[in-house]
Amino acid sequence: TIMEADEEMNNPVQNAGQKTSRLRGTARLLKLAGKESFYLWLGIAVLLIRLPFSLSIPHFVSTTIGSLIDDDYDGAKRNVLLLFLSGTVDAILDFWVLFLFGYAKENIVKGVRIDTFAAMMRQEQAFFDKTNTGELMSRLSSDCGEMAGDLTWFFRFSVEAVVRITGIAVYMIIRSPYLGLCTIGIVPVVGIINKVYGDWLCKNAQKD
C-alpha cells in the first residue's frame, strides 16, 4: 500500500482523471484490508447466521396476528415467544456484526493513514510547494476513512442485500406463488428505472 500511495502522490492529476471499474476498485480495496480480512470474513459469517433470525421476525408477527384472528390463543403465545427469541438473537448477533466490521474498519484506517503519511514524508520539497496543505490533510483524514468505510460496509450491505432479496423472494413464492411472481416481475422494471435515474444524476453532477 505504501508503493500505491507513492504513485498516487506523484500522479494526482492523472489518477483523478482515470475511470476505475467497480471490479478493479473492489480488488484494490481488498488489498488494503490485509490482515484485517480475517475480521471481515468473521463478520460476514456472523451476518449470515443473523439474517435468518432477522427475516423470521415479520413471519412471526403475521402468524401471531393470524392466530389472534382465529382465536387460537395458544398459537399466538407460541408465536410471540418465537418472535421474542428471534428478536433477541438478532439483536445480539447484530451487535457482533457491527463490532467486527467496525473493528476492521478502524484498523484499516490506521494502516492506510500510516502508509499515506509515510508516502508524504518521502516526497521532495517541490511536492509540498505545489500541493495545498488542506488537500494533504484531507487525504489523511476524510479520504482514508471513506476508503476503509467503503471496504467494510461494501461487504456487509452486499451480502445482506443478496440474502434478504433471495430469502424474501423465496418466502413470498412459498406463501403465495401468484403474489410472489407478480412482485418478482416488477423488480426488473424498478431496477431499470433506478439505473436510468442514477446515470442521469451522475451526468448532472459531472456537469457541475
Side-chain angles (χ1 to χ4, degrees):
T1 55
I2 294 180
M3 295 178 63
E4 293 178 356
D6 280 334
E7 182 180 353
E8 297 214 354
M9 288 290 178
N10 293 325
N11 301 286
V13 177
Q14 180 180 357
N15 292 327
Q18 291 178 346
K19 292 185 178 180
T20 304
S21 66
R22 181 167 298 182
L23 292 177
R24 183 182 176 186
T26 303
R28 293 185 65 183
L29 289 175
L30 285 173
K31 290 182 181 180
L32 291 175
K35 62 181 181 180
E36 305 305 326
S37 298
F38 170 76
Y39 296 102
L40 290 177
W41 291 116
L42 185 59
I44 291 175
V46 177
L47 177 62
L48 291 175
I49 298 173
R50 167 192 166 249
L51 285 174
F53 294 96
S54 178
L55 292 173
S56 66
I57 292 176
H59 168 73
F60 290 128
V61 171
S62 64
T63 52
T64 300
I65 296 174
S67 296
L68 292 175
I69 293 175
D70 297 335
D71 294 330
D72 182 10
Y73 297 107
D74 292 334
K77 292 178 181 179
R78 182 173 60 255
N79 288 318
V80 168
L81 177 60
L82 292 174
L83 174 62
F84 173 77
L85 293 175
S86 298
T88 302
V89 174
D90 176 50
I92 294 173
L93 294 179
D94 188 43
F95 165 79
W96 286 106
V97 169
L98 290 173
F99 172 79
L100 291 170
F101 279 104
Y103 182 79
K105 175 186 174 181
E106 295 304 321
N107 286 338
I108 293 172
V109 169
K110 178 182 177 182
V112 172
R113 283 176 176 167
I114 290 175
D115 290 343
T116 304
F117 184 75
M120 288 181 181
M121 293 297 97
R122 286 191 297 273
Q123 302 304 312
E124 298 179 354
Q125 184 64 37
F127 170 80
F128 296 97
D129 292 337
K130 65 181 181 180
T131 306
N132 295 330
T133 304
E135 181 181 351
L136 297 177
M137 294 301 296
S138 177
R139 292 188 185 185
L140 283 174
S141 56
S142 60
D143 292 351
C144 293
E146 290 179 3
M147 188 178 301
D150 289 342
L151 173 60
T152 54
W153 301 118
F154 167 79
F155 275 101
R156 178 187 176 180
F157 291 125
S158 297
V159 173
E160 187 167 355
V162 171
V163 174
R164 284 188 179 276
I165 292 173
T166 305
I168 292 173
V170 172
Y171 176 81
M172 287 192 300
I173 292 175
I174 293 175
R175 299 288 290 183
S176 178
Y178 293 108
L179 180 60
L181 292 175
C182 178
T183 304
I184 293 175
I186 296 175
V187 169
V189 178
V190 176
I192 294 174
I193 295 174
N194 287 336
K195 180 66 170 60
V196 173
Y197 181 67
D199 293 341
W200 179 75
L201 289 178
C202 183
K203 290 180 180 178
N204 287 338
Q206 291 177 354
K207 291 179 181 179
D208 295 338

